Amino acid sequence: MTRNIVSNIKLFHIFIKKRKLATKKRILDQAIKAFNKSGYGAVNLFELAKSLDMSRGNMTYHFKDKEALLKEITDQLWEKLTNARVAKSIPSFQNLHHDAQLYYRLQKEYSFIFHDNQVLKHSLIAPKMKSLAAKTVQDIEMAIAFSIQLGNMKAEPVPGVYKNLAITSWMMMFFWSSQQTIRGDKTKEDGEKVIWSLLLPHLTKKGLASFKKFFGQDYLTSLGEEFDQNMDSYLTF
């Protein structure tokens, strides 16, 4: 009899724990949705609780304030980044492709973080973003250096070109969705083709062959709209 009581108590605690976790997940999912739609600063806990059909008090039992929500969301984002950005023994442009696609996916999922300068400056996020930016730029620099050693990329034409290329490539990853918003660009294109457009002129014949082998000829011919060099197209009177 005593064993049954103990067993039932354990099952009850497991049930309560699972229920709490399910409720927390529901709150987090709705918070991310609301922040992405309206912005972090525009959402208050009362409206968020109302959208979840729960009282504000019930919601603050799980998250005492918006900053607690932001911390949990940030931890969630970084866990996904950490798990997906596995340690790479060999720096390569294939890994650059993997990371670029990862960042584009996360920008869509957590757009309010990448679009809101105040959120980016928040003490919970700014140090991590700074560290991640530095690591990403370093990874790109390593990939360039490795490609030069393999004979896939030409030597740097003048000092500063490849350092700037690494920083620009990082910017194309991190701020692509923001520039789409500013320009009103509603296409589903990501910024990786822009990155490759910047890198291609620096590839050797061997590097170009490796690029085609990995991405295919169709990708190479679909990097963007052909540039119009006719000045008559730009002159207006």
Side-chain angles (χ1 to χ4, degrees):
M1 188 74 175
T2 304
R3 284 184 180 178
N4 288 337
I5 293 173
V6 172
S7 178
N8 287 337
I9 290 172
K10 286 182 177 178
L11 288 172
F12 177 73
H13 284 308
I14 291 171
F15 170 75
I16 293 297
K17 186 177 180 180
K18 286 183 176 179
R19 189 172 178 180
K20 284 181 179 179
L21 288 173
T23 302
K24 285 187 72 172
K25 184 181 184 304
R26 193 162 72 92
I27 294 170
L28 280 173
D29 290 346
Q30 184 63 17
I32 293 170
K33 184 178 177 181
F35 294 158
N36 285 343
K37 181 181 178 181
S38 305
Y40 177 74
V43 177
N44 63 58
L45 292 185
F46 177 79
E47 291 169 342
L48 185 59
K50 188 178 179 181
S51 70
L52 287 160
D53 292 324
M54 65 171 59
S55 68
R56 187 180 184 281
N58 188 16
M59 193 176 70
T60 54
Y61 168 77
H62 297 281
F63 298 99
K64 64 177 183 178
D65 51 31
K66 269 182 29 175
E67 191 162 284
L69 270 170
L70 184 62
K71 182 182 185 307
E72 191 78 19
I73 292 169
T74 303
D75 290 344
Q76 185 185 102
L77 167 61
W78 245 256
E79 183 179 357
K80 290 180 179 180
L81 271 169
T82 303
N83 291 340
R85 287 191 89 246
V86 291
K88 305 173 184 72
S89 57
I90 300 177
S92 68
F93 288 130
Q94 286 86 346
N95 290 334
L96 172 61
H97 164 70
H98 172 273
D99 285 349
Q101 292 304 315
L102 168 64
Y103 294 140
Y104 295 138
R105 288 197 304 273
L106 293 177
Q107 280 178 52
K108 291 178 181 178
E109 191 174 350
Y110 303 92
S111 61
F112 80 96
I113 292 178
F114 292 89
H115 285 205
D116 191 331
N117 196 41
Q118 292 303 312
V119 175
L120 285 172
K121 289 180 178 179
H122 197 286
S123 59
L124 289 171
I125 295 175
K128 290 184 176 182
M129 280 293 187
K130 183 178 180 180
S131 174
L132 184 62
K135 182 67 172 66
T136 305
V137 171
Q138 184 184 55
D139 285 348
I140 298 169
E141 289 177 350
M142 287 176 64
I144 292 172
F146 186 63
S147 294
I148 294 171
Q149 295 300 317
L150 288 178
N152 287 334
M153 278 189 77
K154 304 169 188 174
E156 187 176 41
V158 294
V161 169
Y162 285 164
K163 284 276 188 181
N164 292 338
L165 188 55
I167 293 171
T168 304
S169 298
W170 163 75
M171 289 170 63
M172 288 297 99
M173 291 184 196
F174 272 73
F175 298 107
W176 182 254
S177 62
S178 295
Q179 69 82 27
Q180 281 186 311
T181 301
I182 293 168
R183 292 173 56 236
D185 181 3
K186 296 182 180 180
T187 65
K188 294 182 179 180
E189 290 284 349
D190 60 46
E192 190 178 356
K193 288 184 177 180
V194 177
I195 296 173
W196 289 115
S197 296
L198 297 173
L199 285 166
L200 276 171
H202 301 286
L203 296 183
T204 61
K205 287 184 178 180
K206 180 186 175 184
L208 185 59
S210 297
F211 177 89
K212 290 178 181 178
K213 184 178 179 180
F214 182 74
F215 286 100
Q217 179 65 36
D218 289 344
Y219 187 89
L220 180 63
T221 55
S222 67
L223 292 180
E225 186 179 348
E226 184 179 359
F227 181 73
D228 185 358
Q229 59 184 352
N230 185 355
M231 287 299 297
D232 292 340
S233 302
Y234 304 101
L235 296 175
T236 57
F237 298 96

